[in-house]
Every structure is written in structure tokens, then in C-alpha cells.
């Protein structure tokens, strides 16, 4: 996947600015980038929730009262505090609390899964895989550990193993549109035609009204990005809900453009996903990973072209 040298030279500016450049109307935001043509609905970046602040104060108080807690209760409190820190974007605090939860209760599967995700973000792949392995061994409910392990394997170019994990993740709920999308992304690396066909064959149940099926329709070629963005806000009742939808949408569309070779639009969408500030969504976190990987790839290509 190559890109013109002039784009390589201006990548730092592109990564910094493209997510912010727009022209506002009363109801919509029109990006100035010539690479992206859809008209986006407006969603301001998600802010820290007051209720989370209240919960944080209460958990801190309970943790301080150590004598009233048994070890498993204390581990749960650290884990729950880590989740709140995660929503706030306080990654160091969150990672510390997941570590604490595991130190107190070494059988805490959810904590292994959450810590593994942060280790992926830090590119500590071996440690991340160990944590996902532990989560899967400790609980049969750790479906997302298969997804996270698949993505980690994908990042280190172990594509066959990544495909095995993503197929397991998909088979655990074949009616989930997000699993359909993830299977397409991972399997497109080694078998693009089969991945596209599987995406097109995925069936939406009549009672399943999740908007993510619209993303499946875009990537399957049954609708356009413009039509998707015209419909993405249907049924949304708050700015937070819209920001969450857009965080996801930008991420999956970015992958679609990346797979098709349109790296500039992919970068643009990954940046828009992170601009929503939905810190606890995996799409936000994996957009950061993708941007770091793209930056590394382009720096290597730039050196090779000099």
C-alpha cells in the first residue's frame, strides 16, 4: 500500500489538522478535505460524565475502608474504578487499577481482558497475549478476548492465527453486525474475495434494528457513504449517543478505505474517530493503534524513498 511522496512529507500536518477542519451549517458539518465527500451530522466531543465523578468518589471511599472488604470485593472495586478512569481517558490510572485487581484476585478474567487491551495499545504484544490467554482460560464468557487477541496477532502480521481467533469470535454470535465487520477486516488480509463474499452473505434478522447493519451495507456495496451519513442519526436521543455511533462508523469506514488503498481517507476517518473522545470504545482505542501503525509505515517508506 503506497502513497505519493508529497503526502508522506505532509503527514504530521495531516494527522494533526484534518479531523478539525470543517465548514458548519445549522445541522451539518461539511469537511474541507477533497478526499472525503459525505456530509457528517454534528456531534461534539464526549465530556466526563458527572455521574462517573460521583461513582469515583464513592469507590475511593470504599477502597480506603479496607477492613470492611474481602479480597474479591476489593478487586472488583479496583476494576470498576479502572473502568471509570478508562471512560475519562485516564489510561495510566486505569491500567494501574486493572493491575491491582489482578494482584488481589488472580482469577479475575475481566481484569486480564481489560489490561490486555492497554498492553496492546502500548505495543507490548507478548504480555497482551498472555493476558488474553488468561482471560479465556478463566472464563468462557470472555468473547472479546478472542477479538483483541485477533487484532494483536493481526498487528504483528500473524494473519492465519488472527483469522482463527476472529472466526471463533464471529461464531459465538453470528447475528452481531460488529462481528461481521471485524471478520471482514481481519480476513481481508489473507483472503479478500472470501471476506467480501462473507460480508455480503451476512443476514440481518428482521427484529435486529442496530444501525451497524448500515455499515455492513456500505462495505457490501448495497448503499453509499452519503446515504449512510444521512441515516446514521436516526433514533439518536443525545449528543453522547451520536458521538458513540460516529466513533464506530468512522473507524469501520476507515478500515474499508484502507483496504481499498485510499490511505488518506482512512487517516482522516481514524482521526475523526479519536476526535469523538469516546475513550472506552474499542473503536477509539484501535483508531489510535491504526494511526500509530500508519505513521510507522509511512516513516519507513519515506526513508526508503530518500
Amino acid at each position: 500500500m503506497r502513497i505519493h511522496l508529497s503526502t508522506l512529507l505532509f503527514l504530521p500536518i495531516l494527522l494533526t489538522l484534518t479531523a478539525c477542519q470543517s465548514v458548519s451549517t445549522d445541522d451539518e458539518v461539511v469537511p474541507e478535505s477533497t478526499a472525503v465527500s459525505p456530509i457528517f451530522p454534528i456531534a461534539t466531543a464526549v465530556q466526563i460524565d458527572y455521574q462517573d465523578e460521583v461513582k469515583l468518589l464513592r469507590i475511593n471511599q470504599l477502597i480506603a475502608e479496607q477492613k470492611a472488604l474481602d479480597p474479591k470485593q476489593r478487586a472488583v472495586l479496583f476494576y470498576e474504578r479502572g473502568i471509570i478512569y478508562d471512560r475519562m481517558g485516564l489510561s495510566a490510572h486505569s491500567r494501574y487499577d486493572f493491575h491491582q485487581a489482578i494482584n488481589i484476585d488472580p482469577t479475575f478474567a475481566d481484569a486480564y481482558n481489560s489490561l490486555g487491551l492497554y498492553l496492546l495499545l502500548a505495543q507490548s504484544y507478548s504480555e497482551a497475549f498472555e493476558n488474553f490467554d488468561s482471560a479465556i482460560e478463566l472464563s468462557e464468557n470472555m468473547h472479546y478476548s478472542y477479538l483483541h487477541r485477533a487484532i494483536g496477532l493481526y498487528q504483528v502480521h500473524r494473519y492465519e492465527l488472527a483469522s482463527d481467533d476472529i472466526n471463533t469470535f464471529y461464531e459465538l454470535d453470528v447475528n452481531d453486525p460488529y462481528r461481521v465487520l471485524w471478520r471482514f477486516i481481519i480476513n481481508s488480509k489473507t483472503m479478500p474475495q472470501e471476506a467480501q463474499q462473507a460480508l455480503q452473505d451476512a443476514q440481518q434478522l428482521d427484529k435486529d434494528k442496530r444501525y451497524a447493519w448500515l455499515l455492513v451495507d456500505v462495505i457490501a456495496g448495497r448503499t453509499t457513504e452519503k446515504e449512510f451519513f444521512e441515516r446514521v442519526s436516526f433514533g439518536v436521543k443525545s449528543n453522547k449517543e451520536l458521538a458513540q455511533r460516529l466513533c464506530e462508523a468512522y473507524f469501520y469506514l476507515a478500515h474499508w478505505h484502507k483496504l481499498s488503498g485510499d490511505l488518506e481517507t482512512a487517516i482522516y476517518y481514524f482521526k475523526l474517530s479519536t476526535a469523538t473522545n469516546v475513550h472506552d470504545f474499542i473503536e477509539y482505542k484501535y483508531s489510535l493503534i491504526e494511526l500509530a501503525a500508519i505513521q510507522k509505515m509511512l516513516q519507513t517508506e519515506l526513508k526508503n524513498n530518500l
Side-chain angles (χ1 to χ4, degrees), residues 15-31:
L15 291 177
T16 304
L17 299 179
T18 51
C20 301
Q21 294 176 340
S22 64
V23 178
S24 298
T25 66
D26 289 340
D27 300 308
E28 298 169 324
V29 174
V30 183

Side-chain angles (χ1 to χ4, degrees), residues 257-301:
H257 284 288
K258 182 184 175 186
L259 289 167
S260 69
D262 185 357
L263 195 55
E264 290 188 39
T265 302
I267 291 170
Y268 186 83
Y269 275 145
F270 283 133
K271 285 295 293 182
L272 287 177
S273 182
T274 63
T276 62
N277 278 359
V278 187
H279 298 282
D280 55 324
F281 271 36
I282 59 173
E283 290 83 3
Y284 172 91
K285 292 180 173 64
Y286 285 130
S287 287
L288 294 174
I289 289 177
E290 286 294 328
L291 286 168
I294 291 170
Q295 179 78 12
K296 183 177 179 180
M297 179 193 72
L298 293 181
Q299 286 173 343
T300 299
E301 189 163 344

Side-chain angles (χ1 to χ4, degrees), residues 4 40 43 47 53-54 67 84 92 105 115 140 145 156 162 164 175 180 182 210 231 237 245 251 260 270:
H4 194 274
F40 304 139
Q47 305 300 313
E53 295 187 67
V54 173
K67 295 180 180 179
I84 294 174
D105 180 7
L115 179 59
E140 62 182 15
S145 289
V156 297
D164 290 342
N175 297 315
V180 171
W182 276 112
R210 282 175 288 186
R231 299 171 61 187
K237 298 179 180 178
R245 282 195 182 186
F251 174 81
S260 69
F270 283 133

Side-chain angles (χ1 to χ4, degrees), residues 47-279:
Q47 305 300 313
I48 293 175
D49 193 308
Y50 173 75
Q51 293 301 320
D52 276 342
E53 295 187 67
V54 173
K55 291 177 186 176
L56 187 59
L57 290 171
R58 179 57 179 159
I59 289 173
N60 286 338
Q61 182 179 12
L62 290 171
I63 289 175
E65 299 170 357
Q66 297 184 29
K67 295 180 180 179
L69 302 171
D70 64 38
K72 285 192 177 293
Q73 290 174 324
R74 195 156 181 263
V76 168
L77 287 176
F78 274 107
Y79 176 75
E80 290 182 350
R81 189 173 72 175
I83 293 297
I84 294 174
Y85 282 140
D86 185 47
R87 283 198 294 269
M88 292 179 170
L90 299 173
S91 57
H93 292 68
S94 187
R95 182 171 170 174
Y96 171 81
D97 276 354
F98 296 144
H99 264 299
Q100 289 295 98
I102 292 169
N103 289 337
I104 296 168
D105 180 7
T107 67
F108 202 157
D110 291 279
Y112 282 107
N113 179 67
S114 297
L115 179 59
L117 183 49
Y118 271 100
L119 290 167
L120 273 190
L121 283 167
Q123 299 181 32
S124 301
Y125 294 108
S126 295
E127 293 178 79
F129 294 145
E130 289 175 4
N131 277 268
F132 297 137
D133 291 346
S134 296
I136 291 168
E137 290 170 7
L138 288 166
S139 174
E140 62 182 15
N141 297 320
M142 291 293 100
H143 294 190
Y144 275 82
S145 289
Y146 288 106
L147 169 63
H148 300 320
R149 193 169 67 183
I151 294 167
L153 291 165
Y154 181 91
Q155 290 292 331
V156 297
H157 306 155
R158 298 174 69 181
Y159 300 120
E160 297 297 335
L161 291 174
S163 182
D164 290 342
D165 267 352
I166 205 61
N167 289 336
T168 298
F169 177 65
Y170 169 75
E171 291 296 336
L172 289 167
D173 185 357
V174 298
N175 297 315
D176 181 357
Y178 296 99
R179 297 176 194 236
V180 171
L181 291 165
W182 276 112
R183 182 180 60 159
F184 167 75
I185 291 169
I186 299 295
N187 288 340
S188 287
K189 189 66 180 181
T190 54
M191 40 186 182
Q193 293 181 342
E194 293 87 344
Q196 183 69 29
Q197 187 61 54
L199 184 82
Q200 292 173 339
D201 292 342
Q203 296 294 317
Q204 177 182 3
L205 301 178
D206 291 339
K207 63 181 180 180
D208 188 349
K209 304 302 181 184
R210 282 175 288 186
Y211 92 96
W213 284 108
L214 295 175
L215 284 166
V216 175
D217 287 340
V218 173
I219 298 172
R222 291 188 288 265
T223 189
T224 66
E225 284 179 79
K226 181 177 184 297
E227 291 169 332
F228 168 78
F229 281 112
E230 287 172 349
R231 299 171 61 187
V232 68
S233 60
F234 287 3
V236 169
K237 298 179 180 178
S238 68
N239 174 76
K240 182 177 181 179
E241 185 180 357
L242 180 57
Q244 290 171 338
R245 282 195 182 186
L246 291 175
C247 177
E248 295 172 339
Y250 294 141
F251 174 81
Y252 294 111
L253 291 174
H255 263 293
W256 179 47
H257 284 288
K258 182 184 175 186
L259 289 167
S260 69
D262 185 357
L263 195 55
E264 290 188 39
T265 302
I267 291 170
Y268 186 83
Y269 275 145
F270 283 133
K271 285 295 293 182
L272 287 177
S273 182
T274 63
T276 62
N277 278 359
V278 187
H279 298 282

